[in-house]
Amino acid sequence: MATLPDGLVLGGQSGSPRGLGIVAARAFQPGALIATFGEPSIAIPDSPHLSTTCSGCLLPATSGAEDNKTARVVRACTGCRAVAYCSPSCQRMDWTKGGHKGECKVFKRVRAEGHDSLPTPVRALVQVLLRPEMSSAMAGRQGHVDAFRRKSGKFWADMELQALAALHYLGREADAKKLADAIEILCKLQVNSFSRIDEDVGQTGLFMNPDLALVNHSCMPNAFVQFVGRKAVLHAYQAIEKDEEILISYIDCNLHLSHRQEALRARYHFTCACDRCKDDMDVYQVCRVYPHLHMNSLSLAPDVQNLLDSSAAGVLSGNEELSTTVEDIYPWCSASMVDLSEADKQKQLRRRWKACKPLRDSHTAAYAIEPLPRVLTEASIYFATQGHFAYSLSISCFLATRVEPYRSAAPFTPQRVKGLLMIAKLVANAAPMDSDSSSDGSSVSAPIKTLRADISKALANVDQATTCQVLAELVTYYAPSAHSNEWSVYNEADEMLRDIAGLPGRESEDALVKAFVRNPNGAEERRFYDQAILDPLRALAAYCLDIMDNEFDA
């Protein structure tokens, strides 16, 4: 029987279509912390990052050079040399609570046979087999073993190999019973574990908590999960009443219907029947029914009527040809570009931007429908890495004002809060552009000269320090609802505020910002926010599409 955190009770029935679930024992407001899930849990870095991530606190190693901070150095365990730690306290904690006491011997055997580490699923299986409390807690969880067996011969064969590897390195006999039990645990891990991957903050790995695994799925969730070290935190996405079921999304709920259903069937073996799926609602239609749109008054998209009245709502349902095109281009337009060269990234962005032309040129442009947001995000990252901060800033402003509010209607969602910090960083680094030559010294065309000159004029209207201060204040205001005060995004924004506080000659600007923070809905304070912050950022956002067309649609 699950022992749930305060404020939650078990609901549902194990034999029903939805199975067991978790229900609120009291009401929760939007952004409220519902519960924290700690031990017993498995919280491990993924194997490719094992040597560069602390297995205690799960923070990545850092050089300190990029942000002038103290470097976080990780050192290998002296016993197995496979896992690493940033401090003796992290090593002690992982030894006693994280399962490394038994696991260390396993890794010694792995290295003795010439391997650096175990695949992440195998390591997770080893931890379950070594920790009686995990084995006991997972006993009642669903594994869909028969469904996985029917999935494909190769998939099942891989599961068998992973189970055999775990038993081998544990020094246990692989008889039929032990092998079947190990495969069942692998299936349960597949169904019930969470990915901790967040490329924006260098977070990787797997998290498995048997109680958190009881929270059911909806593509229109009322809650969401984030990870704080070795714990998971569950926040309310919208108001949740007493006796209402807690629902999260197991996948990216902004995917298209067919891709959502395929992802859910492949891993979790069910077909979602939420309202979003039944009515094939797009992000604009889902945004319209979010019950707390008024909270956006304190955001970069404060006009609630725009969120309600978007003419892009339903653009796919009324256009079968456009819907089919978008479904076809999404898989390759959303593929990661991390390992590509800069030249290949440029080629891919050009190809992807052109492929998205039907979405851009539809009777009403639908910039919040995938894969357009993914392409714009990749373009912003590309320009930032090239040192073209003004271009990256323009695209980021467009995403924050014209895209993300529809995809994540609550202003405290992690993606939107990270977007605020990104804009603040880009504002701090952006400078007027050279209109006459490119980065390699070659001349540029007349249209690009004009575009760069216009962007430089728009940049001149941005008060860098004041804009960064307001954005950082918004980040620190929303971060506890998006994640926690331990979030690296919160810490960066807090440090930015301390740096700005040390700037001389800003007494009047600082007073205006603090007055706005105290009373964001006051008439004078709102006028300051609109004129000093929103108008300049909107002006920069207006050049986003011209940038994309000039760079990738020439």
Side-chain angles (χ1 to χ4, degrees):
M1 181 64 67
T3 304
L4 298 176
D6 290 342
L8 301 177
V9 295
L10 198 61
Q13 296 179 341
S14 58
S16 66
R18 289 186 65 83
L20 296 173
I22 290 182
V23 173
R26 58 183 177 83
F28 295 96
Q29 293 302 306
L33 174 64
I34 297 174
T36 299
F37 295 82
E39 299 297 336
S41 296
I42 293 173
I44 55 176
D46 59 355
S47 293
H49 298 89
L50 197 57
S51 63
T52 58
T53 303
C54 175
S55 283
C57 63
L58 301 181
L59 292 174
T62 60
S63 65
E66 293 183 1
D67 47 18
N68 297 316
K69 294 180 180 177
T70 303
R72 183 185 301 111
V73 179
V74 297
R75 294 180 174 84
C77 168
T78 55
C80 64
R81 311 297 301 177
V83 303
Y85 302 99
C86 68
S87 68
S89 60
C90 277
Q91 185 168 12
R92 286 192 297 271
M93 184 267 295
D94 193 39
W95 185 266
T96 57
K97 295 183 178 180
H100 192 61
K101 182 177 181 179
E103 182 188 55
C104 192
K105 298 175 183 177
V106 172
F107 274 121
K108 286 181 182 178
R109 297 189 188 106
V110 171
R111 294 184 70 83
E113 295 189 12
H115 306 291
D116 292 330
S117 64
L118 292 170
T120 306
V122 179
R123 185 186 179 195
L125 171 58
V126 166
Q127 289 221 355
V128 175
L129 293 173
L130 283 171
R131 299 169 59 187
E133 77 278 11
M134 281 303 303
S135 297
S136 175
M138 290 184 66
R141 300 301 170 260
Q142 180 61 260
H144 298 288
V145 177
D146 291 338
F148 277 120
R149 185 184 285 110
R150 294 191 300 267
K151 187 174 182 180
S152 73
K154 183 180 183 308
F155 182 87
W156 188 254
D158 288 343
M159 297 279 271
E160 288 182 328
L161 288 174
Q162 290 173 1
L164 286 168
L167 293 172
H168 168 71
Y169 289 116
L170 282 166
R172 300 182 184 181
E173 183 182 354
D175 58 37
K177 174 68 165 59
K178 287 186 174 65
L179 183 60
D181 289 346
I183 292 174
E184 182 178 3
I185 293 172
L186 280 171
C187 291
K188 289 181 177 181
L189 286 167
Q190 180 82 357
V191 172
N192 295 286
S193 64
F194 292 79
S195 169
R196 295 184 72 260
I197 294 176
D198 186 338
E199 294 177 356
D200 293 328
V201 295
Q203 184 170 275
T204 70
L206 174 148
F207 182 88
M208 165 62 194
N209 177 280
D211 293 338
L212 180 60
L214 289 169
V215 181
N216 282 321
H217 164 86
S218 172
C219 298
M220 294 182 70
N222 57 18
F224 61 94
V225 176
Q226 291 286 287
F227 300 97
V228 182
R230 303 182 66 85
K231 299 177 291 186
V233 290
L234 183 66
H235 285 274
Y237 178 64
Q238 62 189 55
I240 299 173
E241 300 300 324
K242 184 178 182 294
D243 298 326
E244 184 178 351
E245 184 176 11
I246 308 291
L247 299 168
I248 61 175
S249 182
Y250 295 170
I251 57 172
D252 179 356
C253 55
N254 288 321
L255 297 177
H256 304 296
L257 174 62
S258 64
H259 296 135
R260 295 200 310 272
Q261 297 286 20
E262 180 182 352
L264 291 169
R265 282 193 297 268
R267 180 170 176 178
Y268 304 102
H269 304 286
F270 70 86
T271 299
C272 184
C274 71
D275 289 343
R276 185 174 196 159
C277 290
K278 285 190 296 186
D279 298 332
D280 193 9
M281 299 168 68
D282 60 42
V283 293
Y284 295 98
Q285 292 168 315
V286 173
C287 175
R288 280 179 173 177
V289 298
Y290 181 65
H292 312 293
L293 286 178
H294 65 276
M295 294 181 70
N296 282 281
S297 63
L298 188 58
S299 77
L300 295 186
D303 192 336
V304 174
Q305 205 58 44
N306 282 344
L307 299 177
L308 288 169
D309 294 342
S310 173
S311 56
V315 64
L316 295 183
S317 58
N319 189 330
E320 184 176 349
E321 181 180 358
L322 178 61
S323 181
T324 301
T325 298
V326 170
E327 294 269 347
D328 289 343
I329 67 174
Y330 173 78
W332 61 268
C333 275
S334 60
S336 174
M337 301 201 308
V338 171
D339 296 326
L340 298 182
S341 67
E342 294 306 306
D344 286 340
K345 286 178 182 178
Q346 186 181 42
K347 291 177 183 177
Q348 271 296 318
L349 285 168
R350 184 174 291 117
R351 182 184 178 214
R352 295 178 187 192
W353 184 244
K354 290 180 178 178
C356 290
K357 191 175 179 62
L359 267 178
R360 298 183 279 127
D361 291 352
S362 58
H363 68 282
T364 173
Y367 297 109
I369 291 179
E370 290 287 4
L372 257 177
R374 194 74 58 95
V375 175
L376 288 168
T377 300
E378 290 285 4
S380 178
I381 295 170
Y382 169 77
F383 286 125
T385 57
Q386 294 287 308
H388 299 322
F389 298 117
Y391 276 10
S392 181
L393 174 59
S394 173
I395 297 170
S396 293
C397 289
F398 186 88
L399 285 164
T401 57
R402 299 277 301 278
V403 176
E404 292 302 335
Y406 296 102
R407 290 163 49 80
S408 302
F412 55 79
T413 52
Q415 192 59 36
R416 289 183 66 180
V417 177
K418 287 189 290 187
L420 293 173
L421 181 62
M422 175 59 68
I423 292 173
K425 289 180 174 180
L426 290 168
V427 166
N429 285 281
M433 305 186 70
D434 183 350
S435 301
D436 297 320
S437 63
S438 61
S439 57
D440 61 5
S442 59
S443 60
V444 298
S445 65
I448 292 180
K449 281 185 181 181
T450 301
L451 174 62
R452 291 184 177 182
D454 289 343
I455 293 174
S456 294
K457 290 178 183 176
L459 273 173
N461 293 323
V462 176
D463 182 327
Q464 288 183 311
T466 301
T467 301
C468 289
Q469 184 178 2
V470 171
L471 293 174
E473 289 283 7
L474 290 177
V475 171
T476 58
Y477 176 77
Y478 282 128
S481 297
H483 190 281
S484 69
N485 287 346
E486 299 176 50
W487 196 17
S488 61
V489 172
Y490 174 91
N491 293 330
E492 286 187 62
D494 188 55
E495 183 173 352
M496 182 179 288
L497 288 172
R498 291 197 299 271
D499 289 342
I500 293 171
L503 297 176
R506 293 193 63 256
E507 291 77 13
S508 60
E509 293 89 344
D510 185 61
L512 288 169
V513 173
K514 289 179 177 176
F516 170 72
V517 171
R518 287 193 302 270
N519 183 25
N521 294 316
E524 290 299 319
E525 291 80 2
R526 178 56 61 172
R527 187 176 299 110
F528 156 74
Y529 182 61
D530 289 346
Q531 294 178 355
I533 309 300
L534 284 181
D535 290 349
L537 295 183
R538 285 170 176 162
L540 285 166
Y543 295 107
C544 168
L545 302 181
D546 290 333
I547 292 169
M548 296 296 294
D549 286 340
N550 274 284
E551 293 290 330
F552 304 124
D553 202 17

